[in-house]
Amino acid sequence: MDNALLALASAIVAVTGTLLAPVLSQRITGRVQADQFDRQERLARAQWQRDRQVAEREKRRDCYVHANAGYRRYRVELMNHLWAVHRDEVTDEGRAALQEARHAMHSAFAEAQMIASDAVMAELDVLTRELADAYARTMRLERGNPLPGWGFDEVLAALLDLGDAWVRARAVMRADLGVEPGPVAADDAAAGEGRGGEGPDGDGPDTARPDGDGPCGPGGRAGEAGAPSRGGQRGR
C-alpha cells in the first residue's frame, strides 16, 4: 500500500512538473526579456538625452558665434561712423554699412532671445542698451544737436569701454558652452582697458589694431582706434 501511494505521489509530482515546466520557463523568459527591454529603453533614453544636449549646445554655439560677429561688427561700424561725423566725412556708403551692421546685430539679438541662456541674455541686454545709446548720441552729433556732456570724445570713450563688457559677455558664453575662459587676448585688453595716445593730427591714434577688428581714427576703416585725448569725462 505504501509503495502504491509513493508511486502515485511520484507520478503526480512528475506530471505536475511536466505541466508547470513550460509555464515557469515562459515566465522566466518573459522576465528576462522585460529586463532586457527596460535596459535597452534606458540606454536609448540616455542616448537621446545626450544627443539632445549636443544638439542644444551646437545651437547655442552657433547663436553665440552669430552674436559675437554681429555685435562686434556693429560696434566697429558705429565707431567708423562716429569718426566720419567728427571729420565731416559722412557718406551714403558709410551710412549703409552702419545700418546693415545694425540690422545684423538686431537679428543676432532676436535669435539669442530664443536660444541663449539667461546669464548670456543678461550680458547681451547690457550691450544692446549701451550700443543703442551710443547710436542715438552719434546720430545727434551728426545732426549737430548733441546731448549735453556727450561730445565726440565721450561717445568714443563709451564705445571703447564696451570692450570690457564684451569680454565679460564672451566669458559667460564660453562658460555656458563648457569652454574654459582662457586668458584675455591682447586685442581685448586694448579694446577694454588700453587707451591709445594722439595721432599726428591730434584727433586720435593713427595706428590700427593688428586684428583689424575696429576702425582707424582719421586714417581709414581697418583696425580699431584708441581713444583720443579726452577733454573731459563722460557725464551719465
Side-chain angles (χ1 to χ4, degrees):
M1 185 68 180
D2 292 338
N3 290 336
L5 292 175
L6 183 60
L8 179 60
S10 298
I12 293 173
V13 169
V15 171
T16 303
T18 301
L19 294 175
L20 291 178
V23 177
L24 294 175
S25 176
Q26 185 176 9
R27 292 189 62 181
I28 293 173
T29 301
R31 183 173 298 175
V32 170
Q33 290 177 343
D35 291 341
Q36 290 177 344
F37 177 79
D38 290 341
R39 184 165 56 253
Q40 291 173 353
E41 188 177 18
R42 288 194 300 270
L43 291 173
R45 187 182 299 112
Q47 183 63 44
W48 177 79
Q49 290 176 344
R50 286 193 296 270
D51 292 343
R52 181 181 178 184
Q53 290 172 353
V54 170
E56 289 178 349
R57 187 164 56 248
E58 286 298 311
K59 286 177 63 177
R60 290 199 310 275
R61 184 188 67 82
D62 292 343
C63 172
Y64 296 164
V65 168
H66 190 193
N68 183 56
Y71 277 75
R72 288 175 68 127
R73 178 188 173 196
Y74 180 43
R75 177 169 167 257
V76 166
E77 291 296 342
L78 194 50
M79 281 192 283
N80 280 331
H81 193 75
L82 178 63
W83 273 107
V85 170
H86 180 60
R87 295 179 60 82
D88 195 21
E89 296 176 352
V90 176
T91 63
D92 291 340
E93 179 184 4
R95 288 194 184 95
L98 174 61
Q99 292 305 318
E100 182 181 353
R102 185 166 176 250
H103 293 323
M105 187 276 288
H106 287 163
S107 175
F109 183 67
E111 179 184 7
Q113 286 178 312
M114 299 296 104
I115 298 175
S117 67
D118 290 343
V120 171
M121 279 308 307
E123 298 294 333
L124 292 182
D125 282 338
V126 172
L127 285 168
T128 302
R129 287 194 301 269
E130 292 294 329
L131 285 168
D133 288 345
Y135 175 82
R137 291 162 187 153
T138 301
M139 294 301 102
R140 291 184 68 111
L141 280 173
E142 183 178 353
R143 293 192 297 267
N145 183 29
L147 289 171
W150 284 98
F152 167 77
D153 287 355
E154 289 74 26
V155 177
L156 180 61
L159 284 169
L160 289 171
D161 286 343
L162 282 179
D164 287 333
W166 184 250
V167 170
R168 291 192 299 271
R170 189 184 64 184
V172 175
M173 290 179 186
R174 290 169 63 88
D176 188 52
L177 295 174
V179 180
E180 292 295 329
V184 176
D187 61 317
D188 293 326
E193 299 175 3
R195 296 290 184 264
E198 290 188 354
D201 60 0
D203 264 336
D206 61 347
T207 56
R209 277 184 24 201
D211 64 350
D213 188 38
C216 284
R221 295 179 61 83
E224 182 170 1
S229 59
R230 298 184 187 174
Q233 295 296 324
R234 292 180 289 149
R236 285 189 182 276

